[in-house]
Amino acid sequence: MKKHALPHLRQLLGYRAWQLGVLLVAGLVLLPAVVPTFDLYLVEEIISLGLLAVSVDLMYGYAGLPSLGQAAYFGLGGYCVALMMLKGGITAAWIVVPAGIASGALAAAAFGLVALRTRGFQFLLVTFAFGQLLAAVAIRWQVVQNFGTEGLVGVTMPNIGLGIYWWGNLSTYYGACLVLVVSYAWAKALAWSPLGHLAQGLRENEARMQAFGYNTWWCKYKIMIAAGGLAALGGELFAFTSGAILPSDMDYTYSGLAFLMVVLGGAGTIDGALLGAVVIILLQHFVSLAAPARWPLVLGVVFLGSAVAVRGGLTAGIARAVSVGGRYAQNHGRWKF
Amino acid sequence: MSSTIISGLDGVSFGMVLFFVAVGLSLIMGVMRILNLAHGAFYMLGGYVGWTLSVRAGAGFWMALLAAGLSVALVGVIAEKAVLRRMRGALDNQVLATLGLLYIATNIVIWLWSGEPKAPVVPSPLNRSVQISGQPYPLSRLVIISAGVLVVGGAWWLEEHTIWGSRLRAGIDDRDIAMTLGVNVDRLSAVVFAMGSFLAGIGGMLGQIFTGLTPAQGTDMLLLALIVVIIGGVGRIKATVAGALVVGIVNSFGYRLVPSLAPYLGYAVMIGVLIVRPSGIFGNVAASSK
Amino acid sequence: MMHRISKHKRLSAAIACATLLTAGSPMLSACASQQGSAQQGSPATIRIGVLVPLTGPLAFFGPPFVDAIKLRLKEAGGKVAGHRVHLYISDEGGDLSTALGNARTLVQGDHVEIMIGPLNAAFMGGLMPFYVQHRIPVISLLNEATAVQRSAHGWLFTPQGSLESVSYPLGLYASQVLHLRTATTLGADFTGGHSIIGGFAAGFAHGGGRVVQEQWAPLGTTDFSQYLAQLANADLFVDWNAGSGDQALVEEYFGRRTLRQLAFGYGDALSEAEVTALGPRMIGAIAPMVYTWRLNNSANHAFVTAYRQVYHRAPIEEIDEGAYEAMTVALAALAATHGNTDSASIRTAILREKLNTPAGRVTFDRSTGFGIRQVYILKVERFGNQLGWQPIAAYMNTDPSTPPGD
């Protein structure tokens, strides 16, 4: 992939990246002060789908496995949580949340045994098929339905048992932000770990990594399990904050959207996936209010335009813009530091 | 026995329509290494354009059929030259661009033709039944089978018995070496793209006879075409034919034999093929891995 | 390849990014609050939210729905009980998160007081807890999921009743009037399809008939040949696959073995234009429907005339009349409460309504919020060189578990 020839935002900022991170977290914390409370739901949706996008990035941007079926694990996480809380009567967060993550990880472990026999296009197609199959089962299987209609409705935030019995808009929002920060840190840690570097290496040239003696299949498998668990966490959050999980949450609709978020933002950088999620969800929301019947057309044009015009996604574009801007300023003597 | 024949004819006729859609997808993947997720939209556009010409402009069915194919081929050529050509090798950009095209095409169809499903247009000579082992059977399906067989035969002959076909196969098997041998793979790709889109457009107008027209077809036919390509393999005509027939026949016989499992049979076959032979029944191993 | 970038440039980059992001959030809030401030001028304005499919698989229902609502409001002069009424129209889209996001914007951003829609029952299930939490009475059309209606504790009103109650009379008519003894069904394999076929089957059994075969086709089926090839020998074929495209199915059906009588689980399967396109073979097919523009009552005459004048067409889609009714329900309730939008008053007012709609008389069931009204059995007949649905019988819609009154 050519993207490593392009300046990376983090390389530009160096160790000051963590300062930027602190600013962003502060922004998130202070957001409710400037934004009406109901719009916070948008941020929660961005976080849920953003986690799905990060899982796609781990698969594709890091390990080179193009997955068009990560939403299967997203949906599984949501269904697991919804089933436990609505039909099983279990509402304790410390049981429900890890169970959801585990459901995604286990499904990925099982499916990975089949899927990793393929690569490239074939991998894309088989992962897509898996998502479709799960959605098809969910539509018909009465066990995963309530109120006689497809999907499970009535999911609420789980009980975290610290005397907080009621989740209002604000506490739900901060809960989602906490999940985001923790997941982001975990994903970054994974990306910077030896496993993450091995994944990037085998994405570039698997034969060479094998020649060095690494077990590349095992690396891909572990990434797949990790990505499955992360996607499931996103699905849980989605179920908690939107109150329902539907069969269509498992099919190509969200898988494709997540893939688009990753590509738009820049694959191979966890930040790109989240940035892509922000852009696409906000675009979808505001365009759908302004042009209710035509917003898919606008979205399609944006995708087409970005594919043609932007190399490496938005993060690379921003990094280029910042780098060019800074060089211009220095050369023209406007700012002397 | 008669019900077996009927199911067989149903499966083969559906398989033929699937072939029309999937052949373009498969060849484009093979020659250009591009995954065109907008290919189902070509089927849909062909159907709607043909329908409009037939119903609103009063054109004859066969004229409308040809016009449908040509107009979709035009759209395909423009898409290829303007957009897809520069995305060789970049899977992420391909997905982004072709999904964008799919979104745009679906919304334009809703805009221009409203989202309501349209009644099929059947040419009057075909709008009758023939007796097949004592039961009436739609003649149009038999004609679709014949048309499919003709096109498959023609494509096969082109691929196996012409110089152009050997260049095509060379370009699919190893693009770089083919180029050193003087094959203009870019021009070949453009022609393949145009032909693939043309066939998808024709397929749309033929298929609407029994699938009707809805704006969801851009996505629905894409899903089916992807299943065909997974099962059959990428890059060879016989691979696409095999995949299409398997899907069509599993569809019709599967429902007869195990009705409750029928919706999952297609996926089961697909996963089975992937376990046993990941590049598809007749897949070209070189072409299918990137 | 990477040049060493001076830390001054890095610092300026960080500042630039942070400024951009924090500057962005006020813009977000400005955009959002703009919708809410649209009608702040007049304190007495009543805000009604309309959530309809403008994109997604049901997209073709959206625009006619909106047209009908606007017509009804225009007929009322844009006001009720002296208050201006403002409509907030938004897209329910093809997935729950679009519907939910836009519903939240309507309820919490635009502060709507009554909601009309969504049409998709799966979304209705996901949205009702939200609506109930924010105390918004909701009016929609037919409800495919009786359980959702019952669980909505009196906040959801569906003037057209439940799907089972509408197809039940078809079963009665086929068995008691046409004296058909056996039936085979082909329904769409989701809650709505099961409700419609289930209602028919109950009515048919009540009249002494027997369903000998039930087939189910997944949503989005493109090829129905395998179902038609297996059609059992019965007097009656009942089909309902609206959304997958009944036209193609019917075309195929006529190419194969046809049964004595063709019926549709609900009349929305084929519009009059589609029936005409399918040709004279359709004559004699029957379907139940809550409305047809050929009904002979004064309210309907006025309604059809208004439609021809304003939209230059007849209100041939049942969605036209359904949306008109939904708006009528809302306006009648507001008139009864003299413009008071307190949700308890509105809900009580709706339950007390006795409406004369173009489809006939409509009242509400106190315990469920379903509409009580007549269901018409329609038959395809020739009108000049067109075909259309002619009402030939009428039944009261009732819960299939209780015996019907005719």
Side-chain angles (χ1 to χ4, degrees):
Chain A
M1 290 187 194
K2 304 182 187 61
K3 62 178 60 55
H4 294 288
L6 300 169
H8 190 312
L9 203 57
R10 187 168 68 82
Q11 286 167 305
L12 261 189
L13 299 172
Y15 71 97
R16 295 200 189 271
W18 72 264
Q19 290 177 334
L20 180 58
V22 167
L23 275 169
L24 282 173
V25 171
L28 272 181
V29 167
L30 296 174
L31 197 64
V34 290
V35 158
T37 345
F38 73 90
D39 264 345
L40 294 176
Y41 167 71
L42 265 183
V43 182
E44 290 160 16
E45 192 183 324
I46 290 174
I47 296 176
S48 317
L49 291 173
L51 290 180
L52 175 63
V54 171
S55 98
V56 170
D57 196 20
L58 282 176
M59 293 285 286
Y60 179 60
Y62 284 88
L65 298 165
S67 169
L68 207 55
Q70 287 303 100
Y73 312 113
F74 180 84
L76 274 177
Y79 265 103
C80 175
V81 158
L83 278 172
M84 290 177 87
M85 292 180 76
L86 295 175
K87 299 217 172 181
I90 307 170
T91 57
W94 67 271
I95 300 179
V96 159
V97 172
I101 298 178
S103 66
L106 286 169
F111 184 60
L113 296 172
V114 172
L116 287 176
R117 292 172 56 86
T118 64
R119 40 156 50 90
F121 280 141
Q122 234 68 25
F123 186 83
L124 186 96
L125 300 179
V126 72
T127 51
F128 142 82
F130 184 59
Q132 295 302 110
L133 179 61
L134 286 195
V137 170
I139 289 182
R140 280 170 202 86
W141 201 17
Q142 303 281 36
V143 168
V144 294
Q145 296 179 355
N146 65 0
F147 296 119
T149 181
E150 288 77 35
L152 291 165
V153 301
V155 186
T156 52
M157 290 288 278
N159 183 0
I160 64 169
L162 296 175
I164 302 178
Y165 297 113
W166 176 77
W167 290 87
N169 269 349
L170 212 54
S171 38
T172 310
Y173 169 74
Y174 284 127
C177 289
L178 188 63
V179 169
L180 172 69
V181 170
V182 169
S183 312
Y184 179 79
W186 177 84
K188 278 293 194 183
L190 182 65
W192 292 339
S193 72
L195 180 65
H197 282 104
L198 175 56
Q200 292 178 66
L202 71 88
R203 179 197 65 211
E204 295 293 329
N205 193 327
E206 186 164 356
R208 187 181 299 164
M209 299 314 288
Q210 284 175 339
F212 283 142
Y214 291 110
N215 186 339
T216 57
W217 183 91
W218 189 229
C219 168
K220 288 194 279 191
Y221 192 58
K222 285 195 276 196
I223 296 274
M224 198 159 165
I225 295 176
L230 185 63
L233 179 62
E236 286 182 31
L237 195 62
F238 185 76
F240 291 145
T241 55
S242 68
I245 191 87
L246 301 177
S248 56
D249 296 335
M250 290 208 271
D251 66 16
Y252 68 92
T253 322
Y254 283 150
S255 290
L257 207 60
F259 199 91
L260 292 172
M261 290 172 185
V262 168
V263 177
L264 192 65
T269 71
I270 308 284
D271 320 304
L274 292 172
L275 186 60
V278 169
V279 169
I280 289 185
I281 301 283
L282 288 182
L283 200 64
Q284 193 171 326
H285 182 76
F286 288 112
V287 174
S288 127
L289 290 176
R294 300 275 81 84
W295 64 264
L297 186 64
V298 173
L299 222 59
V301 170
V302 169
F303 293 153
L304 198 55
S306 329
V308 171
V310 180
R311 250 189 335 140
L314 287 175
T315 47
I318 292 177
R320 265 199 302 269
V322 167
S323 148
V324 165
R327 223 193 324 258
Y328 178 88
Q330 278 203 327
N331 289 344
H332 289 75
R334 305 270 158 131
W335 294 322
K336 291 260 186 247
F337 291 98
Chain B
M1 184 55 202
S2 67
S3 60
T4 315
I5 297 179
I6 302 268
S7 286
L9 288 173
D10 286 338
V12 172
S13 51
F14 187 46
M16 285 300 148
V17 172
L18 290 180
F19 171 76
F20 275 104
V21 185
V23 67
L25 186 69
S26 169
L27 288 179
I28 292 167
M29 270 211 262
V31 173
M32 301 176 74
R33 300 285 196 273
I34 286 182
L35 179 62
N36 179 17
L37 295 175
H39 206 74
F42 290 156
Y43 175 95
M44 174 175 72
L45 285 172
Y48 272 94
V49 167
W51 182 91
T52 309
L53 289 173
S54 257
V55 170
R56 299 254 185 272
F61 180 84
W62 306 104
M63 198 57 110
L65 181 72
L66 190 63
L70 289 174
S71 45
V72 172
L74 184 64
V75 170
V77 163
I78 295 176
E80 193 261 333
K81 276 207 171 6
V83 172
L84 292 177
R85 180 170 291 202
R86 40 186 103 182
M87 286 172 196
R88 267 188 23 85
L91 181 65
D92 41 0
N93 274 350
Q94 290 166 25
V95 172
L96 195 58
T98 53
L99 275 185
L101 281 173
L102 180 57
Y103 275 49
I104 292 174
T106 308
N107 203 250
I108 287 186
V109 164
I110 294 181
W111 196 356
L112 296 181
W113 283 282
S114 105
E116 241 180 319
K118 302 280 184 232
V121 173
V122 189
S124 20
L126 298 187
N127 203 353
R128 62 152 79 116
S129 318
V130 294
Q131 291 289 328
I132 305 262
S133 45
Q135 291 220 30
Y137 190 79
L139 179 61
S140 48
R141 283 204 180 232
L142 297 175
V143 170
I144 287 176
I145 294 180
S146 327
V149 167
L150 275 172
V151 171
V152 167
W156 204 318
W157 178 83
L158 256 180
E159 189 196 44
E160 299 289 327
H161 295 289
T162 61
I163 302 228
W164 186 87
S166 59
R167 291 194 193 126
L168 173 69
R169 280 179 285 131
I172 292 177
D173 289 342
D174 197 323
R175 179 197 165 90
D176 298 319
I177 299 288
M179 282 168 70
T180 66
L181 291 175
V183 176
N184 187 341
V185 182
D186 278 337
R187 188 140 49 102
L188 195 74
S189 310
V191 172
V192 165
F193 205 100
M195 279 171 54
S197 330
F198 178 77
L199 285 176
I202 299 246
M205 189 56 188
L206 282 178
Q208 57 86 32
I209 291 178
F210 57 85
T211 68
L213 288 172
T214 69
Q217 272 171 350
T219 325
D220 293 340
M221 293 316 274
L222 172 70
L223 306 187
L224 286 168
L226 287 176
I227 295 178
V228 166
V229 169
I230 293 177
I231 292 179
V234 172
R236 287 286 187 274
I237 299 286
K238 71 177 174 186
T240 316
V241 175
L245 287 177
V246 166
V247 173
I249 292 186
V250 163
N251 222 24
S252 53
F253 280 102
Y255 181 73
R256 179 176 290 279
L257 299 171
V258 277
S260 49
L261 292 179
Y264 314 121
L265 276 177
Y267 297 117
V269 171
M270 184 166 47
I271 293 183
V273 166
L274 283 164
I275 293 178
V276 171
R277 199 184 146 84
S279 52
I281 300 177
F282 288 118
N284 188 320
V285 179
S288 58
S289 54
K290 256 180 53 90
Chain C
M1 165 74 214
M2 265 318 305
H3 316 293
R4 198 160 306 157
I5 302 184
S6 76
K7 59 182 184 192
H8 302 305
K9 220 160 72 150
R10 279 187 239 141
L11 176 59
S12 53
I15 292 177
C17 286
T19 325
L20 260 169
L21 288 158
T22 43
S25 47
M27 283 201 294
L28 197 111
S29 81
C31 282
S33 57
Q34 234 172 28
Q35 276 107 28
S37 60
Q39 287 294 317
Q40 297 279 328
S42 159
T45 304
I46 295 179
R47 291 179 288 268
I48 298 185
V50 181
L51 196 65
V52 281
L54 296 171
T55 61
L58 303 179
F60 55 94
F61 282 137
F65 194 96
V66 173
D67 283 347
I69 290 201
K70 286 188 176 161
L71 177 69
R72 182 66 186 85
L73 187 58
K74 201 167 97 154
E75 287 179 355
K79 295 176 172 314
V80 68
H83 300 256
R84 274 190 44 85
V85 173
H86 189 89
L87 293 176
Y88 292 83
I89 299 170
S90 196
D91 180 23
E92 73 183 58
D95 56 271
L96 180 60
S97 65
T98 312
L100 199 53
N102 288 335
R104 281 177 195 247
T105 308
L106 287 177
V107 169
Q108 295 177 288
D110 300 319
H111 305 290
V112 300
E113 288 144 326
I114 299 178
M115 270 304 298
I116 298 181
L119 296 187
N120 189 330
F123 299 167
M124 187 63 90
L127 287 175
M128 275 321 293
F130 170 72
Y131 287 143
V132 172
Q133 185 197 3
H134 290 274
R135 310 184 61 76
I136 309 280
V138 183
I139 305 167
S140 189
L141 301 189
L142 279 173
N143 199 317
E144 72 175 43
T146 310
V148 172
Q149 180 97 20
R150 292 192 199 281
S151 76
H153 301 301
W155 288 90
L156 175 59
F157 304 96
T158 47
Q160 298 187 321
S162 71
L163 281 179
E164 294 101 331
S165 70
V166 165
S167 55
Y168 187 86
L170 176 71
L172 288 180
Y173 183 83
S175 53
Q176 292 173 340
V177 176
L178 295 182
H179 303 296
L180 300 169
R181 296 269 67 86
T182 53
T184 165
T185 66
L186 176 57
D189 194 7
F190 75 113
T191 325
H194 287 271
S195 299
I196 289 201
I197 301 291
F200 160 79
F204 198 58
H206 185 91
R210 194 168 55 94
V211 174
V212 297
Q213 179 193 42
E214 270 189 5
Q215 298 195 80
W216 302 103
L219 285 173
T221 300
T222 36
D223 186 14
F224 289 97
S225 57
Q226 65 257 41
Y227 307 103
L228 294 170
Q230 303 240 59
L231 219 52
N233 252 331
D235 295 329
L236 172 66
F237 174 44
V238 180
D239 160 63
W240 193 76
N241 278 282
S244 294
D246 281 301
Q247 305 87 317
L249 198 167
V250 172
E251 188 72 53
E252 276 276 300
Y253 167 73
F254 282 123
R256 297 168 194 251
R257 181 170 50 92
T258 57
L259 303 179
R260 227 169 91 192
Q261 175 71 48
L262 172 65
F264 297 99
Y266 187 58
D268 67 349
L270 291 176
S271 70
E272 292 198 338
E274 290 155 359
V275 169
T276 309
L278 284 167
R281 331 168 260 199
M282 286 295 294
I283 295 180
I286 56 175
M289 190 81 133
V290 291
Y291 171 77
T292 165
W293 71 283
R294 298 181 192 275
L295 284 176
N296 202 358
N297 66 60
S298 53
N300 192 32
H301 290 313
F303 180 56
V304 173
T305 315
Y307 243 80
R308 286 203 200 275
Q309 266 181 342
V310 177
Y311 295 121
H312 310 296
R313 61 179 175 89
I316 52 176
E317 303 287 344
E318 52 106 27
I319 202 101
D320 299 325
E321 198 274 340
Y324 188 85
E325 264 186 48
M327 194 60 181
T328 305
V329 168
L331 291 178
L334 287 165
T337 64
H338 304 294
N340 178 5
T341 55
D342 163 60
S343 53
S345 323
I346 300 265
R347 290 155 58 210
T348 322
I350 293 180
L351 289 175
R352 290 212 192 104
E353 282 175 11
K354 300 184 196 325
L355 300 171
N356 274 326
T357 69
R361 202 159 155 76
V362 176
T363 57
F364 283 94
D365 179 318
R366 299 286 164 107
S367 56
T368 57
F370 280 129
I372 299 175
R373 60 190 302 136
Q374 290 208 307
V375 175
Y376 303 96
I377 304 293
L378 309 176
K379 185 158 100 164
V380 176
E381 288 182 4
R382 196 183 284 277
F383 295 90
N385 59 352
Q386 304 266 336
L387 298 179
W389 292 109
Q390 173 69 16
I392 53 176
Y395 292 78
M396 287 303 289
N397 73 334
T398 36
D399 190 332
S401 58
T402 64
D406 188 358

